[in-house]
């Protein structure tokens, strides 16, 4: 006689969390097919196999579903960032994050969906507010990670950590968008990206014991301007006339005739 294995019963909270995940997955599947605005709540209900009342218990509207997707996405990204916060090799950690993003959006549909969510955030205030909050937390966390690396002498201390974090985020977002058109990013491109990061972050004056500040260039001493020659304003002495020759005397006398 076969023994039936009993499943561990879920708590009400676990069941609610699972239903929320199921709704988001089903909504994502619908959005990938037809886009946000072409997908109806009824289609999402049909896909997940729940009635409208059950779905609306978790999400009051389609906008709420889109906002939840954006928030979940950045929550996963922050978790990834926290894993590398205390790394001893920041460039290597950033390389690992780059490849994690590339794997996450390897499918055209996933990259396209994330791109569409960001575009929706520009039109929809509710979605935009969620994305802005999530982005601020992400950039601030990355900037803090860069500052820690600067204090340890791992990267250039002259970098503006906040600006560098924002630029890195923009570069990663660009990789996501690129994967919507180039599903399989060539390894050569990722290797080039790694090399570029290492060159950008490295301090030219760094030493094994830490970073050294470059000596300031000495300011050249000011050279006094050359004195201008003084003008002699005294009256000129009368010129001494040379004695006339006999020929000059004869010519003068002829001119008077």
């Amino acid at each position: 006689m076969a023994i039936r294995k009993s499943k561990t019963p879920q708590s009400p909270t676990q069941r609610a969390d699972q239903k929320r995940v199921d709704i988001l997955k089903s909504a994502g599947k619908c959005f990938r097919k037809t886009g946000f605005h072409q997908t109806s709540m009824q289609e999402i209900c049909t896909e997940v196999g729940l009635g409208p009342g059950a779905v609306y218990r978790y999400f009051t509207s389609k906008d709420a579903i889109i906002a939840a997707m954006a928030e979940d996405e950045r929550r996963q990204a922050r978790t990834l960032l926290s894993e590398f916060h205390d790394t001893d090799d920041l460039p290597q950690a950033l390389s690992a994050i780059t490849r994690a993003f590339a794997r996450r959006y390897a499918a055209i549909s996933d990259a396209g969906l994330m791109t569409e969510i960001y575009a929706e955030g520009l039109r929809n205030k509710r979605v935009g507010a969620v994305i802005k909050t999530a982005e601020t937390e992400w950039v601030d966390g990355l900037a803090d990670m860069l500052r820690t690396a600067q204090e340890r002498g791992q990267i250039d201390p002259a970098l503006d950590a906040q600006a560098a974090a924002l630029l890195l985020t923009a570069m990663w977002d660009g990789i996501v968008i690129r994967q919507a058109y180039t599903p399989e990013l060539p390894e050569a491109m990722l290797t080039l990206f790694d090399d570029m990061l290492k060159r950008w972050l490295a301090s030219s004056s760094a030493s094994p014991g830490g970073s050294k500040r470059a000596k300031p260039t000495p300011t050249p001493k000011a050279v006094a301007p050359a004195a201008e020659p003084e003008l002699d304003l005294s009256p000129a002495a009368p010129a001494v006339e040379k004695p006339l020759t006999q020929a000059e005397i004869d010519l003068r006398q002829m001119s008077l005739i």
Side-chain angles (χ1 to χ4, degrees):
M1 180 178 177
I3 300 175
R4 180 179 297 177
K5 295 181 180 180
S6 60
K7 294 182 179 180
T8 303
Q10 290 182 322
S11 66
T13 301
Q14 289 175 324
R15 286 196 296 272
D17 289 343
Q18 186 58 52
K19 282 188 177 181
R20 180 183 180 279
V21 171
D22 292 341
I23 293 170
L24 290 178
K25 284 184 177 180
S26 298
K29 188 175 180 179
C30 293
F31 292 155
R32 290 181 182 92
K33 287 180 181 178
T34 57
F36 295 144
H37 299 289
Q38 288 74 26
T39 300
S40 66
M41 285 295 287
Q42 183 58 49
E43 289 173 326
I44 295 174
C45 293
T46 301
E47 181 67 34
V48 73
L50 295 174
V55 173
Y56 280 108
R57 188 182 306 164
Y58 295 94
F59 300 101
T60 58
S61 66
K62 193 167 56 174
D63 288 350
I65 292 177
I66 299 171
M69 285 181 169
E71 192 170 11
D72 283 0
E73 183 64 31
R74 278 311 180 191
R75 185 183 298 115
Q76 294 176 22
R78 288 196 301 272
T79 300
L80 175 65
L81 192 64
S82 65
E83 294 176 1
F84 295 99
H85 188 276
D86 294 325
T87 180
D88 292 329
D89 189 346
L90 181 68
Q92 185 62 33
L94 296 179
S95 173
I97 293 174
T98 301
R99 281 167 167 72
F101 275 122
R103 289 192 300 269
R104 169 68 181 84
Y105 298 104
I108 296 176
S109 57
D110 289 337
L113 178 60
M114 198 61 214
T115 303
E116 195 168 354
I117 288 176
Y118 271 75
E120 183 65 18
L122 299 176
R123 299 184 292 263
N124 188 311
K125 289 185 178 180
R126 181 175 183 179
V127 177
V130 172
I131 292 177
K132 186 174 182 179
T133 299
E135 285 293 301
T136 300
E137 291 176 359
W138 164 267
V139 173
D140 288 348
L142 182 57
D144 183 58
M145 183 176 173
L146 294 173
R147 291 189 191 97
T148 300
Q150 286 176 318
E151 292 171 359
R152 294 174 178 176
Q154 297 174 3
I155 62 174
D156 187 356
L159 281 176
D160 184 328
Q162 197 74 20
L166 188 59
L167 179 58
L168 276 169
T169 302
M171 294 163 75
W172 284 324
D173 287 341
I175 288 177
V176 172
I177 296 173
R178 175 48 46 195
Q179 287 194 241
Y181 296 95
T182 309
E184 295 182 5
L185 291 178
E187 180 62 28
M189 194 195 83
L190 295 177
T191 301
L192 179 62
F193 187 84
D194 292 344
D195 184 61
M196 181 180 65
L197 285 183
K198 291 175 182 177
R199 290 173 183 270
W200 175 43
L201 297 174
S203 173
S204 58
S205 59
S207 63
S211 58
K212 296 181 180 179
R213 293 185 178 274
K215 295 181 179 181
T217 304
T219 304
K221 296 181 179 180
V223 179
E228 297 182 1
E230 296 183 0
L231 297 177
D232 186 5
L233 302 179
S234 59
V240 179
E241 294 185 0
K242 294 181 179 180
L244 298 177
T245 63
Q246 186 60 46
E248 291 174 335
I249 295 173
D250 293 341
L251 286 172
R252 277 190 181 184
Q253 291 178 347
M254 292 176 64
S255 62
L256 296 176
I257 299 174

